[in-house]
Amino acid sequence: MFSHPDIRNMQIQTKLPKVGTTIFSVMSQSALEHKAVNLGQGFPDFEPPEALRDAVARAMAEGRNQYAPGIGLPTLREQIALKTERLYGHKVSADSEVTVTSGGTEALFSAIAAVVRAGEEVIVFDPAYDSYEPAIELQGSRAVHIPLQAPTFAVDWQRVRDAITPKTRMILINSPHNPTGAVLSSADLEELAAIVRDTEIVVLSDEVYEHIVYDGAQHESVLRHPELAARSIVVSSFGKTYHCTGWKVGYAVAPKALSAEFRKVHQYLTFCTFHPAQVAFAEFLASSPEHYLELPAFYQAKRDYFRSLIKPSRFKLLDVPGGYFQLVDYSAISNKDDVSFCEWMVKEGGVAAIPLTPFYEQAPGTHLLRLCFAKSDATMEAAAERLCKL
Ligand SMILES: Cc1ncc(COP(=O)(O)O)c(C=O)c1O
């Protein structure tokens, strides 16, 4: 008699051998266990605007609870198109160039899956946000890692030129950058444009921290650069802008032909995004543009307060041009590697942070860790008191 193989004894061949539980979940769990102040995972510990929360509740009460249109509510896409034109001077079609997604993460995955084929290469910059490489590997393609130059974490464009091969299909940039806070300048975008000119390379621009830039700087979106905008998919996240990372709503802006391919993947990955939040964002973008216009000042006050609190500590503070993370060098405290230091600090020091090594293909050997300052004053003060004792 034919016997079926027992699934319990089957060897599952992993498609993602390098992937374990992300460092963000590991550190958050550890923070809970050790009752540490959690400056690890990047999420605000304060609430989204009340009017926005009310609008979600109202949308639910009014029965906006079934599938939304797959590409996003027309009213929300129109608001996104208006904002894109107002901020970056780039006119986009709400119908064919804006797609609402279930967070920036889904947009990144859909973009990579839509564009990159097996055997092709994607250039990423280390330290790199951890969702990039698994999305690339699942396409049977390869991430080519180029390290950013510490301590400013600038891009070495000559290294990018040298890394281009006939297989290069995509360059993935992220500005403001997680975890370093580095921002790309208009000169960087010129370099990038010169490199991809006369190629079929697509730029994937992760701009989820677009509204968090400091000291009067302007965010250099690739959408400000017509030549780049014509070959780019730009990813944004309402989670970062409206303090609601748990709602997972984001969007992608791309020219019509790229958006069409992007939407084919999005359609079968999630089909559509949480409907009540889309109703609320459409209303709130129209009624309260000051929210994102004032975000740089809001976070700059937090950055400056946090820096003043930990200045007396033995940590050395790196500059923070954008984003809501502070990198610190702990060399004066310990010569442990960064993962071991973070494990020690969450247990013994009572503060959870994120080490940089998991963001690299090759451990950088630096003594840097990332602290999130998207926190209330009380949380920052409690953390700083502990950090100053180390
Ligand atoms: C650089 C970067 N890209 C993308 C994301 C994902 O955004 P979302 O939470 O909207 O999926 C994050 C979130 O931390 C991020 O830091």
Side-chain angles (χ1 to χ4, degrees):
M1 197 179 105
F2 179 77
S3 71
H4 294 284
D6 185 340
I7 188 86
R8 285 167 301 182
N9 299 328
M10 209 164 93
Q11 289 295 320
I12 309 278
Q13 188 105 49
T14 177
K15 291 180 77 178
L16 294 171
K18 287 185 255 169
V19 171
T21 306
T22 87
I23 187 70
F24 307 113
S25 308
V26 171
M27 289 311 298
S28 283
Q29 184 56 34
S30 205
L32 275 178
E33 274 163 32
H34 298 286
K35 298 194 172 42
V37 183
N38 190 358
L39 302 189
Q41 202 170 5
F43 61 87
D45 73 344
F46 40 86
E47 293 302 319
E50 193 176 351
L52 181 62
R53 284 181 282 147
D54 288 349
V56 176
R58 208 166 44 244
M60 285 197 215
E62 287 169 359
R64 309 291 292 271
N65 298 306
Q66 308 309 328
Y67 295 126
I71 58 175
L73 276 188
T75 46
L76 178 54
R77 283 184 284 107
E78 274 152 28
Q79 285 303 320
I80 293 169
L82 280 173
K83 172 175 164 255
T84 302
E85 186 173 3
R86 194 179 301 146
L87 288 181
Y88 305 131
H90 182 66
K91 212 170 164 50
V92 287
S93 155
D95 283 340
S96 59
E97 298 180 315
V98 177
T99 309
V100 178
T101 61
S102 298
T105 312
E106 193 242 53
L108 289 164
F109 191 96
S110 293
I112 292 166
V115 170
V116 182
R117 292 166 198 273
E120 293 183 332
E121 294 171 355
V122 179
I123 292 180
V124 300
F125 297 94
D126 283 0
Y129 183 63
D130 69 343
S131 83
Y132 302 158
E133 183 153 20
I136 294 164
E137 289 196 336
L138 285 173
Q139 316 314 318
S141 49
R142 190 169 78 85
V144 174
H145 295 257
I146 298 183
L148 296 171
Q149 309 294 301
T152 59
F153 296 97
V155 178
D156 179 343
W157 292 106
Q158 189 52 46
R159 282 189 80 153
V160 181
R161 258 178 229 109
D162 295 344
I164 304 275
T165 75
K167 291 183 186 161
T168 311
R169 160 60 51 195
M170 178 180 269
I171 299 180
L172 205 173
I173 57 173
N174 170 215
S175 176
H177 185 255
N178 175 11
T180 69
V183 298
L184 293 176
S185 65
S186 57
D188 286 314
L189 296 190
E190 287 302 332
E191 293 269 13
L192 177 61
I195 289 172
V196 295
R197 196 170 294 145
D198 304 324
T199 72
E200 292 187 357
I201 297 171
V202 170
V203 173
L204 176 53
S205 187
D206 179 346
E207 302 186 13
V208 299
Y209 299 101
E210 65 187 313
H211 299 298
I212 313 181
V213 287
Y214 302 125
D215 307 314
Q218 96 172 356
H219 168 57
E220 294 297 343
S221 173
V222 299
L223 297 172
R224 288 186 193 280
H225 195 292
E227 191 187 348
L228 284 175
R231 59 164 75 226
S232 298
I233 302 174
V234 178
V235 170
S236 296
S237 169
F238 287 125
K240 306 294 179 191
T241 303
Y242 293 98
H243 321 315
C244 52
T245 57
W247 296 0
K248 294 297 277 190
V249 185
Y251 60 93
V253 173
K256 188 173 177 181
L258 272 175
S259 285
E261 292 308 310
F262 177 95
R263 288 172 175 186
K264 288 180 188 173
V265 178
H266 163 75
Q267 171 163 260
Y268 292 113
L269 188 56
T270 57
F271 178 64
C272 72
T273 294
F274 184 52
H275 193 162
Q278 292 195 56
V279 178
F281 282 127
E283 276 175 42
F284 200 71
L285 274 161
S287 68
S288 309
E290 69 282 0
H291 177 90
Y292 60 77
L293 295 173
E294 289 166 8
L295 210 59
F298 173 83
Y299 272 118
Q300 185 162 327
K302 291 204 174 288
R303 177 196 70 170
D304 293 346
Y305 186 49
F306 185 58
R307 286 172 71 88
S308 74
L309 289 171
I310 57 171
K311 198 156 184 260
S313 76
R314 292 201 287 159
F315 291 99
K316 181 167 168 277
L317 280 62
L318 274 64
D319 288 345
V320 185
Y324 53 45
F325 303 108
Q326 170 71 59
L327 287 193
V328 294
D329 186 314
Y330 60 85
S331 308
I333 301 172
S334 165
N335 58 12
K336 285 183 202 291
D337 67 75
D338 60 354
V339 174
S340 311
F341 185 78
C342 284
E343 282 166 2
W344 172 83
M345 196 168 86
V346 70
K347 279 190 208 131
E348 308 295 333
V351 179
I354 297 290
L356 288 211
T357 293
F359 294 81
Y360 281 87
E361 180 186 40
Q362 282 173 350
T366 47
H367 287 154
L368 296 175
L369 50 86
R370 190 195 84 173
L371 300 166
C372 175
F373 57 78
K375 303 293 170 191
S376 66
D377 286 357
T379 304
M380 289 194 277
E381 285 157 11
E385 196 187 326
R386 294 172 182 203
L387 293 171
C388 287
K389 288 187 184 141
L390 299 177

